[in-house]
Amino acid sequence: MPVDLHTHSSFSDGSDAPTALVAKAARFGLEALALTDHDTLQGIPEAMAAAAEHGIELVPGTEISCEWAPGTLHMVVLFLTPGPGPLQDRLEGLRRSRSRRNERIVERLHSLGMDIVYDEVLAEAGDGSVGRPHFAAVMVRKGYVPDITTAFDKYLANGRPAYVTRERLRPRDAIRLARESGAVPVVAHPHTMGLDTAADFAAIFEELHGDGLVGVECSYSEYEPDQQALYADLARRFGLIASGGSDYHGTYKPGIELGVGRGGLRVPYSVLDELRAGA
Ligand code: AMP
Ligand code: ZN
Ligand code: FE
Ligand code: FE
């Protein structure tokens, strides 16, 4: 049976509470689900309880944005259990940096003529990590933009007027902290890394493998078939495990469904066993 190793709940910028997310996974016939909310493990206990009830396996995890240019490098960290630990402890500081950044985004939106206060964004976000998609949702609701994509394209994306940076871990530090915490670091959606050629990817993956990287997301909702083949080939070459997930966010990323992405995604359970062995 298939699995989904990259998903978000209402504890970050997903629209489904962990209980609803797990119930949906069970309904869709997934055998295992990783909850990978940005910079937080706060949704894990609820997801674990729901998973026990539905008889599916819940992999605790998180997704971290790393220092990277010109694109973005996100690290999905699997098998990271809530409680004290090297990476777990670091997440709190990342969330604080997120809050400081968010206050500055509010100021930017004001200066752009938008009447939005941070309490509205906090109300949109609920518990957990507050992120740009929550700003986008408030901007949509108040009629400043027609949809979330436009909010990013016009205002919130890197290089746009309401973009504000925040503290990020260097990739090698994220990898080291994950490994020291007994968890499994996986480079998420490498097509966003701003790399062009297979040789560029090869050089980077080789370096990250040397830093202790375990996996790379080779199946993903947004890949073209040739991208999937390239990443799978590179993973084989550098001894990285080919992970996969939908990056399901519910209504915050319309068109992407749990387990199946845009329809064609399918990640077999054997991938999870390989990743577990890499811890
Ligand atoms: P943050 O972690 O608060 O900086 O927000 C990052 C999140 O925003 C990512 O995980 C994506 O889910 C979402 N995001 C980033 N860029 C875009 C975009 N261009 N359109 C829609 N969502 C985006
Ligand atoms: Zn997200
Ligand atoms: Fe991501
Ligand atoms: Fe994600």
Side-chain angles (χ1 to χ4, degrees), residues 6 8 12-14 36-38 63 74 98 133 247-249 252-253:
H6 184 167
H8 297 271
S12 67
D13 51 2
T36 55
D37 280 319
H38 302 280
E63 183 178 15
H74 290 180
R98 195 176 256 289
D247 207 2
Y248 174 75
H249 282 72
Y252 286 98
K253 272 197 184 174

Side-chain angles (χ1 to χ4, degrees), residues 97-165:
S97 163
R98 195 176 256 289
S99 300
R100 288 193 297 273
R101 181 221 37 191
N102 289 345
E103 304 272 4
R104 294 181 58 205
I105 293 180
V106 172
E107 291 165 14
R108 293 282 182 94
L109 294 177
H110 278 171
S111 65
L112 290 160
M114 281 178 250
D115 177 25
I116 289 173
V117 295
Y118 195 35
D119 278 348
E120 292 171 285
V121 182
L122 291 173
E124 170 70 32
D127 290 334
S129 289
V130 184
R132 285 178 288 162
H134 301 118
F135 284 88
V138 172
M139 290 159 75
V140 172
R141 195 170 60 238
K142 300 191 91 169
Y144 294 117
V145 287
D147 51 42
I148 286 179
T149 305
T150 310
F152 273 89
D153 290 350
K154 280 184 78 171
Y155 300 108
L156 296 167
N158 193 351
R160 307 307 299 160
Y163 178 80
V164 181
T165 187

Side-chain angles (χ1 to χ4, degrees), residues 90-255:
R90 201 70 183 68
L91 295 179
E92 202 180 315
L94 295 176
R95 288 199 299 271
R96 271 200 304 276
S97 163
R98 195 176 256 289
S99 300
R100 288 193 297 273
R101 181 221 37 191
N102 289 345
E103 304 272 4
R104 294 181 58 205
I105 293 180
V106 172
E107 291 165 14
R108 293 282 182 94
L109 294 177
H110 278 171
S111 65
L112 290 160
M114 281 178 250
D115 177 25
I116 289 173
V117 295
Y118 195 35
D119 278 348
E120 292 171 285
V121 182
L122 291 173
E124 170 70 32
D127 290 334
S129 289
V130 184
R132 285 178 288 162
H134 301 118
F135 284 88
V138 172
M139 290 159 75
V140 172
R141 195 170 60 238
K142 300 191 91 169
Y144 294 117
V145 287
D147 51 42
I148 286 179
T149 305
T150 310
F152 273 89
D153 290 350
K154 280 184 78 171
Y155 300 108
L156 296 167
N158 193 351
R160 307 307 299 160
Y163 178 80
V164 181
T165 187
R166 62 186 164 90
E167 185 193 346
R168 286 157 207 272
L169 297 180
R170 288 181 302 179
R172 79 174 81 100
D173 293 332
I175 290 167
R176 180 179 49 78
L177 288 165
R179 298 296 300 264
E180 286 173 1
S181 307
V184 172
V186 174
V187 165
H189 45 70
H191 67 301
T192 65
M193 288 169 73
L195 302 173
D196 288 328
T197 68
D200 290 343
F201 277 108
I204 297 295
F205 284 163
E206 184 170 25
E207 183 180 337
L208 294 175
H209 180 250
D211 293 333
L213 183 68
V214 173
V216 65
E217 218 162 50
C218 292
S219 304
Y220 188 73
S221 300
E222 314 274 20
Y223 290 166
E224 306 294 334
D226 59 327
Q227 287 176 314
Q228 173 152 354
L230 170 66
Y231 304 143
D233 180 57
L234 289 165
R236 264 191 304 275
R237 256 173 79 191
F238 297 108
L240 296 163
I241 296 162
S243 187
S246 65
D247 207 2
Y248 174 75
H249 282 72
T251 57
Y252 286 98
K253 272 197 184 174

Side-chain angles (χ1 to χ4, degrees), residues 1 22 40 49 54 65 75 110 120 146 154 233 264:
M1 289 212 295
V22 170
T40 187
H54 288 280
S65 304
M75 197 72 71
H110 278 171
E120 292 171 285
K154 280 184 78 171
D233 180 57

Side-chain angles (χ1 to χ4, degrees), residues 56-104:
I56 75 172
E57 184 177 346
L58 194 283
V59 178
T62 187
E63 183 178 15
I64 296 169
S65 304
C66 294
E67 227 170 72
W68 193 259
T72 61
L73 195 170
H74 290 180
M75 197 72 71
V76 160
V77 179
L78 301 173
F79 302 105
L80 184 70
T81 45
L87 180 56
Q88 290 91 333
D89 297 348
R90 201 70 183 68
L91 295 179
E92 202 180 315
L94 295 176
R95 288 199 299 271
R96 271 200 304 276
S97 163
R98 195 176 256 289
S99 300
R100 288 193 297 273
R101 181 221 37 191
N102 289 345
E103 304 272 4
R104 294 181 58 205

